[in-house]
Amino acid sequence: MKIILLEPLGISEDTLQRLSSTLTEQGHIFKAYDSVATDTDELIQRAENADVLIIANHPLPGDVIRADQSLKLVSVAFVGIDHVDVEACKEKGVLISNTGGYCDDAVAELAIGLTLDCLRNITECDAAVQAGHGKGSLAGHELAGKTVGIVGTGAIGLRAASIFKAFGCKLIGYNRSEKTAAKALGLEYMSLLDVMANADIISVHTPLTAETKGLIGEKEIAAMKHGAIIINTARGPVIETEVLARALREGKIKAGLDVFENDPPLPANHPLIDAPNLVCTPHVGFDTIESIDRRAEMVFENVTAWMGGNQIRKML
C-alpha cells in the first residue's frame, strides 16, 4: 500500500524514520512531505494514488479526497476532524481515524494556566516588573473555593475538572449527556444558562459542530457574573467573538483564550486585538513536546491497526 504524510508532524527525523519503518519493512511505500501545502492542486498531486493519507490540522478538501481513486483511510493527527471534508469521505467510502486523547493533559493544563493568569494578573505583573514598577493595584484572587463551570465534559473537560477539583473548586457543568465520571468528581449538571450564571470561572471544552457553533452568545455572556472569567481552549467559534469583545471592553468579565475563528496572527481589525481584561495564547493548547510525540505514535498506530483489520479511534 502507499501511505502519504501530507504535512509535517512536528517530530524529529529519527522519530519519523522509526515510526515509518514499521510500514516500509512490511513492503509498503511511505512518503513524507516536510512542508505544508494549502493549494488544492498541489495536495491532489501529493496524494496521488495513496491508499492512506496522514494529516495533522491543515484542511483536507473534498476535491483532494475525490481525486484520489485509491484512498481508503485518512489518519488524522488531531482530535477534531472539522478540517476534513467528511461528506467527501462518506461519498467515497473513506474511513477516518483521529488521535483523540493525545493532548488531554496539555489542553487541560493550559486551561488552568490561563485561569491562574486571569486570577493573579500574571501577565500584567510581568509587564509591571519589566517596566520598572511595583505591584500597584495588581492584587489578585485565589482559585481555591471558586465555582468552576465545565462546558463540555468529554475527556479534556473531565481532565480539567479533575485539576480544578484539586485546587479546591466546586464543579458544575453542561453537556448534551451526563457523564458518570463527571458526577464521580462531584460535578453537578445544570442547563447552560445556569452554568453561565453560577460559575466564577467557565472553561469551554466542546468540539466544534453545527450545534456548538455560537453556543455561547449574547444571552449566555449576559448571564455571567460581574468579574467572572471565561476560558476557551476548545474552538474559537463556540463563543461569539463580537459579543465577547464587547463584554471585555465594558469591563464586565475577563477571558483567557487559546482559540479564535482562525489561528493567529489575527488581523489588525480583529475585535479582540487590544481588548482589555484578556489573556491570549496562539492556539498552543495541544502543542507540547510530549503531546506531539504521542500523537505521532497514535497516528501511525491507526494505520497499522487498520491494515491488520482493526480500525481504532474511528471517527467515520
Side-chain angles (χ1 to χ4, degrees):
M1 288 192 179
K2 185 176 181 181
I3 302 98
I4 303 294
L5 172 59
L6 282 180
E7 59 181 297
L9 293 177
I11 57 177
S12 70
E13 189 61 37
D14 287 346
T15 300
L16 180 60
Q17 176 63 32
R18 175 176 60 81
L19 293 172
S20 61
S21 66
T22 61
L23 301 170
T24 56
E25 287 171 2
Q26 296 174 17
H28 301 294
I29 299 168
F30 177 79
K31 181 174 178 60
Y33 287 90
D34 60 4
S35 63
V36 173
T38 56
D39 178 74
T40 298
D41 290 338
E42 183 177 351
L43 286 169
I44 289 173
Q45 185 178 14
R46 289 185 178 191
E48 186 176 9
N49 297 323
D51 297 282
V52 177
L53 293 177
I54 299 175
I55 65 169
N57 61 329
H58 290 88
L60 184 63
D63 287 346
V64 179
I65 295 162
R66 295 184 181 97
D68 186 351
Q69 298 304 311
S70 302
L71 187 61
K72 303 173 184 67
L73 174 72
V74 178
S75 186
V76 183
F78 215 59
V79 177
I81 61 167
D82 46 286
H83 56 303
V84 178
D85 191 324
V86 175
E87 291 306 313
C89 288
K90 289 178 180 177
E91 289 172 23
K92 299 281 291 181
V94 175
L95 303 175
I96 305 174
S97 288
N98 75 345
T99 51
Y102 85 92
C103 62
D104 291 358
D105 286 329
V107 176
E109 288 173 9
L110 183 64
I112 306 303
L114 290 169
T115 301
L116 290 170
D117 196 327
C118 288
L119 285 169
R120 298 303 304 268
N121 306 308
I122 295 171
T123 298
E124 293 174 82
C125 286
D126 174 73
V129 173
Q130 298 293 342
H133 303 311
K135 67 182 180 68
S137 58
L138 290 172
H141 295 275
E142 296 175 2
L143 179 53
K146 297 293 187 293
T147 297
V148 175
I150 305 292
V151 178
T153 55
I156 297 175
L158 286 174
R159 184 67 184 115
S162 69
I163 302 173
F164 277 118
K165 182 179 180 180
F167 274 89
C169 298
K170 175 185 177 182
L171 300 175
I172 60 176
Y174 167 79
N175 199 66
R176 286 187 304 176
S177 59
E178 298 187 1
K179 303 290 183 67
T180 301
K183 292 180 178 179
L185 287 171
L187 183 145
E188 178 185 356
Y189 279 103
M190 299 179 175
S191 70
L192 178 58
L193 274 180
D194 283 341
V195 170
M196 301 299 293
N198 287 282
D200 302 301
I201 298 148
I202 295 132
S203 194
V204 180
H205 299 284
T206 64
L208 180 61
T209 66
E211 290 74 28
T212 62
K213 185 176 182 180
L215 179 70
I216 296 174
E218 189 86 47
K219 180 172 58 173
E220 290 75 22
I221 289 178
M224 291 175 66
K225 296 178 181 180
H226 187 86
I229 297 166
I230 187 163
I231 304 295
N232 190 5
T233 54
R235 287 292 184 270
V238 173
I239 302 176
E240 292 186 6
T241 299
E242 295 282 354
V243 176
L244 175 61
R246 186 165 61 250
L248 293 171
R249 294 185 188 281
E250 290 171 353
K252 179 185 177 182
I253 62 172
K254 296 182 78 170
L257 306 178
D258 184 50
V259 288
F260 310 86
E261 304 92 331
N262 297 294
D263 283 355
L266 301 179
N269 63 349
H270 192 279
L272 293 171
I273 293 292
D274 294 328
N277 304 305
L278 174 64
V279 177
C280 294
T281 49
H283 198 184
V284 297
F286 68 95
D287 196 2
T288 65
I289 301 300
E290 296 86 354
S291 68
I292 297 304
D293 282 347
R294 190 178 302 120
R295 76 172 186 176
E297 298 275 354
M298 294 168 73
V299 82
F300 277 90
E301 185 183 30
N302 289 344
V303 177
T304 54
W306 170 76
M307 286 179 170
N310 178 30
Q311 185 189 2
I312 58 175
R313 306 182 189 100
K314 182 176 181 178
M315 301 298 288
L316 181 64

